[in-house]
Amino acid sequence: MKSFSSALSPSRNVGFLVILACIFAITGGQVRAQATDPDISQLVKDMTLAEKVGQMTQLTMQPISSVRGWPGTPFELDQEKLKEAIVERHIGSLLNVYDMAMTTDQWVDLITQVQSMAINDTRLGIPIIYGIDAVHGNNYHQEATLFPQGIGMAATWNEELVAEGARITALETRAVGLTWNFAPVLDVARQPLWSRFFESYGEDVLLATRLGSANILAQQELGESGYPNVAATAKHFVGYSMPLSGKDRTPAWIPERMLREYFLPPFEKAVDDGILTLMVNSAEVNGEPVHASHWLLTEILKDEMGFEGIIVTDWEDIKKLVDSHRVAGTFKEAVRQVVEAGIDMAMVPYDYTFTDALIELVEEGTIPESRIDESVTRILAVKQKVGLFADAMPHAEVLPIESAGAASLEAARESMTLLKNREGILPLQGTESVLLAGPAADAITYLHGSWSYTWQGMEEGAYPEGTKTFEDEVTSRMNGVRVVDWNAHQDPDKVRAFAYGADVVVLALGEVPSVEKPGDIESLDLPEDQIALVRTVAETGAKVVVVLFQNRPRVIREIEPYADAILLGYQPGPYGPQAAVDVLSGEVNPNGHLPFTYPRFSGSLVPYDYKWSERADILFGQNAINPQYEFGHGLSYTSFEYSDLSVQAGEPGPVTVSVTVTNTGELPGKDVVQLFVRDEVASITPSNKRLRGFDKVDLAPGESAVVTFVLSRSDLGFIGKENTLIFESGSFVFMVDDLSQAADVR
Ligand code: BGC
């Protein structure tokens, strides 16, 4: 990796004082100040009100462009509008693409123009911080490496893979001059209907917290320049993932206790890890839009958690306080509300309405200038921490990152989750005659998901040439494969005719990508035509292997009995076809595990850590907790046995739990050791169990490993009646696989 050396002389930046030879300690997430770094408090003192409010303004590409980017029409900047934004309006930040991913050259050109103007043509020479949704790789850069979406990364239960993906994403993002990544999504996904389920790390708070932390630390790791490659964003603070109706950006009702128990911990950890920026949930929680919540943004996030970075609004969310939430009668009043609540930067993103309104509010004395100074100090500090004052220019010469493709393939392989394997039909022998069908067979979009070259990811023409479909991979690696075109599915006779004579029918099913509002659905059920296809094929007596590529768990109850094997591929990205065929053919032993409970019915969406009262069977004998597949489930081609579970609960030391896991099969394989703990009786109704530890092991046939978990009292605690984390002594049950041991913990 080459370092990012300074391309521009700091002496041009007349507006700030230089700290000479001031080197601070380097710790996780912290960065050194170099000779090029400004004295931020002095810089803020030197700024006019318009310059300060400009720093708090973030615009997207539309207002500064003349041509939208699309296949066949490359994006073009409008120089006059750019000048207005940067020189006259002093804006501090830009984001996004104008509709489509750009090439390396286009990015380098764009960023060079933007930063040159900001540094050379403005009074203070403050560089722009440019934000992008590099959600699963730098997905708005045509030559970047895409990875599985978050839910697939979570299925690996592998912090190293998550970190490697984040590290590569950050490097590739910085290489084209982008210094701010609006990721990761730290929303704990406890509502499977939610259209952004695929971006999350699943339904469990511990898994989401640990994987989120791995992502953030890797993104913000210091590069050779001595600065992190990008500022990461913890989003969306908080409660976005739990809309009552399941629809995007609709109200959530989350009492403080639940907020602290399930939704705040990943953000708390992110703040402890030194996350530089945070984005706000567009929706409301408990009747208050989060953007207008002084309690959430200032009291909890800034004061209690000690967050020192930038709080940015989400897309056009100030306007939504007027148009959608109706807590403000005018836009100006909405600006007052969000600034008083604690936001530092507005993703406006189309105009200067925020800028004008905020200047007016300060000039008339409604908002004190000291409040503006606080936000501007935060913004400039993040710019300094991410090394923008030292070097704001792209360094595409570091591309390509050699190991990137292999890392993405590895992640895709480890995400593959084998849900069912009747009579060990998988791996295939290689001698079967195979028929391939289903809507995801020849659609690259299904495998990538949204945030892929375009926002929704649905524009096939925007994908790089040569991107493989599942069909490409199946037909090139399996013998005598025949394919039924998806359009022919409407004709069951045709499908039947094809299926007779096939030993195995591989059906690539799932869900068309979509995200945010366009991703709202009425039901989790798999679309009817796909259910009909499975039935038609099964009638012929062929073995049926279902491979699912989808945004969220679509209900497969009706087709599950017909499927001999089910492989869940999530949205695995460009190496997904290879990874899936590796598993079908046995070249890779699957080891993904569900990071969520796979529901059997749309109307029974109960997470694994349900409360006892949710089990109607206790009173009425009905089977209320009956998911299709349990949280943590995932099959292997080898077998694992667990033994010697031991729990040491000495006082006052930590609780130590150890267990032996042995690969008792004939193939090498990986397993995820999952430690669940049940608090038998507690003053707040306890969950039936909670995940309290996990570890992934890689074992040769016959090999054993002892896995040890060390738990503090707070690891076994919960949010009590006073809405604080407490631990109550008593009886706990420690469970790994089918072993369990009770212990008194005091
Ligand atoms: C999304 C954010 C995203 C932002 C910028 C919003 O619509 O909710 O997650 O970071 O757009 O693209």
Side-chain angles (χ1 to χ4, degrees):
M1 224 354 267
K2 293 185 200 113
S3 65
F4 298 107
S5 58
S6 183
L8 287 162
S9 158
S11 61
R12 305 198 62 135
N13 308 329
V14 292
F16 55 81
L17 292 180
V18 168
I19 301 174
L20 286 170
C22 177
I23 309 290
F24 296 136
I26 303 174
T27 54
Q30 302 303 305
V31 295
R32 78 176 109 204
Q34 294 193 344
T36 43
D37 287 331
D39 174 342
I40 288 170
S41 66
Q42 185 58 49
L43 180 52
V44 174
K45 281 191 195 116
D46 291 344
M47 293 169 84
T48 64
L49 178 62
E51 282 166 343
K52 290 192 257 196
V53 171
Q55 284 297 315
M56 296 172 69
T57 306
Q58 185 180 55
L59 295 185
T60 188
M61 282 295 100
Q62 277 89 326
I64 56 166
S65 312
S66 48
V67 182
R68 162 202 197 210
W70 207 243
T73 56
F75 160 84
E76 272 175 38
L77 264 181
D78 181 314
Q79 289 301 327
E80 279 313 302
K81 291 181 187 162
L82 182 67
K83 190 166 164 220
E84 182 189 3
I86 293 179
V87 182
E88 288 153 30
R89 295 304 199 121
H90 322 284
I91 61 148
S93 184
L94 289 168
L95 85 150
N96 219 351
V97 285
Y98 193 167
D99 289 345
M100 205 189 93
M102 298 194 289
T103 62
T104 306
D105 290 348
Q106 288 170 329
W107 270 120
V108 168
D109 183 49
L110 169 63
I111 299 294
T112 306
Q113 289 191 54
V114 162
Q115 298 296 22
S116 301
M117 189 177 282
I119 294 168
N120 300 328
D121 302 347
T122 64
R123 190 176 76 89
L124 299 170
I126 300 171
I128 295 286
I129 185 161
Y130 200 120
I132 198 77
D133 293 283
V135 170
H136 62 130
N138 188 12
N139 39 252
Y140 283 138
H141 172 209
Q142 281 176 29
E143 284 104 64
T145 310
L146 298 199
F147 288 82
Q149 297 278 3
I151 199 69
M153 296 304 290
T156 70
W157 293 59
N158 186 334
E159 286 154 301
E160 281 164 33
L161 286 179
V162 169
E164 191 55 9
R167 190 174 293 124
I168 290 166
T169 300
L171 274 166
E172 292 191 347
T173 303
R174 181 63 176 247
V176 292
L178 297 161
T179 47
W180 186 358
N181 180 11
F182 302 136
V185 166
L186 297 182
D187 301 303
V188 179
R190 296 175 73 83
Q191 164 54 287
L193 281 162
W194 184 48
S195 68
R196 306 190 70 171
F197 192 89
F198 68 94
E199 290 181 63
S200 79
Y201 291 131
E203 80 183 29
D204 176 66
V205 66
L206 178 75
L207 185 61
T209 302
R210 278 182 43 183
L211 299 185
S213 172
N215 177 311
I216 290 160
L217 291 175
Q219 281 201 70
Q220 294 196 170
E221 218 167 73
L222 303 191
E224 285 187 19
S225 60
Y227 296 97
N229 286 314
V230 294
T233 303
K235 72 182 190 185
H236 307 78
F237 187 84
V238 59
Y240 187 16
S241 53
M242 193 62 186
L244 187 61
S245 70
K247 303 287 196 301
D248 184 65
R249 290 172 160 81
T250 57
W253 297 90
I254 310 177
E256 181 176 350
R257 182 168 309 125
M258 198 172 170
L259 209 55
R260 290 184 182 276
E261 185 72 57
Y262 296 104
F263 298 98
L264 286 173
F267 290 97
E268 248 172 305
K269 181 72 174 79
V271 172
D272 289 349
D273 288 339
I275 186 99
L276 292 173
T277 78
L278 181 140
M279 192 186 293
V280 181
N281 167 16
S282 302
E284 63 170 79
V285 174
N286 305 333
E288 193 179 25
V290 182
H291 282 83
S293 174
H294 186 266
W295 177 60
L296 285 169
L297 300 183
T298 296
E299 288 162 54
I300 291 192
L301 183 59
K302 286 185 171 173
D303 297 346
E304 187 183 311
M305 293 188 190
F307 176 63
E308 291 177 352
I310 301 172
I311 301 183
V312 64
T313 73
D314 201 344
W315 190 268
E316 227 178 8
D317 273 321
I318 302 180
K319 194 159 171 268
K320 288 191 200 114
L321 294 190
V322 184
D323 302 346
S324 165
H325 297 297
R326 300 185 178 221
V327 291
T330 62
F331 183 76
K332 186 172 160 191
E333 166 57 12
V335 172
R336 184 195 67 75
Q337 289 186 15
V338 299
V339 173
E340 286 187 355
I343 74 106
D344 300 304
M345 186 184 283
M347 190 186 285
V348 188
Y350 295 111
D351 54 36
Y352 303 99
T353 46
F354 166 81
T355 330
D356 292 339
L358 188 51
I359 290 174
E360 242 178 82
L361 286 161
V362 177
E363 281 175 345
E364 74 194 23
T366 308
I367 292 179
E369 194 157 346
S370 56
R371 170 67 192 83
I372 305 301
D373 290 351
E374 188 221 311
S375 287
V376 176
T377 303
R378 286 167 177 264
I379 292 164
L380 296 177
V382 168
K383 289 187 173 186
Q384 180 262 309
K385 284 181 180 165
V386 80
L388 273 166
F389 289 103
D391 184 4
M393 290 302 168
H395 286 279
E397 68 277 7
V398 304
L399 298 174
I401 310 293
E402 295 280 316
S403 59
S408 177
L409 172 62
E410 199 47 33
R413 283 175 168 157
E414 287 211 13
S415 73
M416 292 291 148
T417 306
L418 184 59
L419 297 176
K420 178 175 181 180
N421 195 13
R422 190 154 56 201
E423 292 166 12
I425 180 188
L426 294 181
L428 297 175
Q429 303 306 306
T431 49
E432 305 90 342
S433 66
V434 174
L435 178 73
L436 175 65
D442 70 346
I444 43 182
T445 53
Y446 275 70
L447 281 98
H448 285 73
S450 294
W451 303 113
S452 298
Y453 308 104
T454 57
W455 175 41
Q456 294 296 313
M458 280 303 291
E459 196 57 40
E460 295 229 351
Y463 283 70
E465 232 174 89
T467 304
K468 276 195 179 168
T469 62
F470 184 57
E471 180 180 321
D472 292 335
E473 192 75 19
V474 170
T475 49
S476 70
R477 286 182 52 198
M478 291 184 178
N479 285 327
V481 179
R482 288 172 309 136
V483 181
V484 192
D485 184 62
W486 176 233
N487 296 325
H489 289 170
Q490 310 311 330
D491 180 353
D493 291 338
K494 211 168 189 172
V495 174
R496 234 175 264 123
F498 269 102
Y500 281 119
D503 299 319
V504 175
V505 182
V506 176
L507 295 175
L509 308 179
E511 184 176 12
V512 173
S514 59
V515 68
E516 300 185 49
K517 267 287 158 210
D520 283 349
I521 50 174
E522 305 298 335
S523 159
L524 275 178
D525 291 344
L526 198 67
E528 268 303 320
D529 50 359
Q530 298 191 40
I531 293 177
L533 172 68
V534 180
R535 284 215 180 94
T536 306
V537 166
E539 280 165 16
T540 67
K543 297 281 184 200
V544 177
V545 174
V546 169
V547 185
L548 292 165
F549 298 111
Q550 53 191 9
N551 304 0
R552 53 204 139 193
R554 302 304 294 253
V555 169
I556 52 170
R557 179 187 68 256
E558 288 182 55
I559 59 162
E560 196 273 348
Y562 301 114
D564 295 282
I566 302 177
L567 179 66
L568 177 54
Y570 311 90
Q571 291 171 324
Y575 296 90
Q578 184 178 343
V581 174
D582 285 346
V583 168
L584 297 180
S585 65
E587 279 169 58
V588 164
N589 189 356
N591 55 74
H593 288 258
L594 283 176
F596 53 82
T597 305
Y598 204 115
R600 190 181 293 271
F601 294 94
S602 244
S604 284
L605 304 177
V606 187
Y608 83 92
D609 51 354
Y610 60 83
K611 303 294 187 86
W612 290 105
S613 57
E614 293 186 83
R615 290 195 36 178
D617 54 334
I618 294 173
L619 294 176
F620 300 107
Q622 295 159 349
N623 198 358
I625 307 293
N626 183 23
Q628 193 74 56
Y629 299 106
E630 287 190 7
F631 172 79
H633 172 70
L635 301 172
S636 167
Y637 296 150
T638 189
S639 50
F640 297 97
E641 262 179 42
Y642 286 79
S643 58
D644 303 326
L645 177 66
S646 114
V647 180
Q648 307 295 328
E651 258 179 276
V655 179
T656 306
V657 182
S658 66
V659 68
T660 303
V661 51
T662 306
N663 180 348
T664 53
E666 280 159 22
L667 293 169
K670 295 183 183 176
D671 199 20
V672 178
V673 182
Q674 302 163 27
L675 170 66
F676 293 97
V677 181
R678 167 183 307 151
D679 184 352
E680 290 282 36
V681 175
S683 58
I684 295 295
T685 57
S687 294
N688 78 96
K689 62 178 180 182
R690 289 287 297 271
L691 183 74
R692 296 302 193 194
F694 64 89
D695 199 5
K696 199 161 191 180
V697 291
D698 188 358
L699 298 173
E703 194 186 355
S704 295
V706 177
V707 174
T708 302
F709 300 98
V710 179
L711 304 173
S712 67
R713 295 293 183 278
S714 62
D715 291 332
L716 297 173
F718 59 91
I719 303 299
K721 291 189 179 171
E722 306 299 322
N723 291 330
T724 54
L725 182 66
I726 59 167
F727 167 77
E728 284 176 357
S729 307
S731 179
F732 289 79
V733 181
F734 296 81
M735 297 166 278
V736 180
D737 198 63
D738 52 3
L739 304 175
S740 71
Q741 191 182 320
D744 231 32
V745 186
R746 324 232 125 244

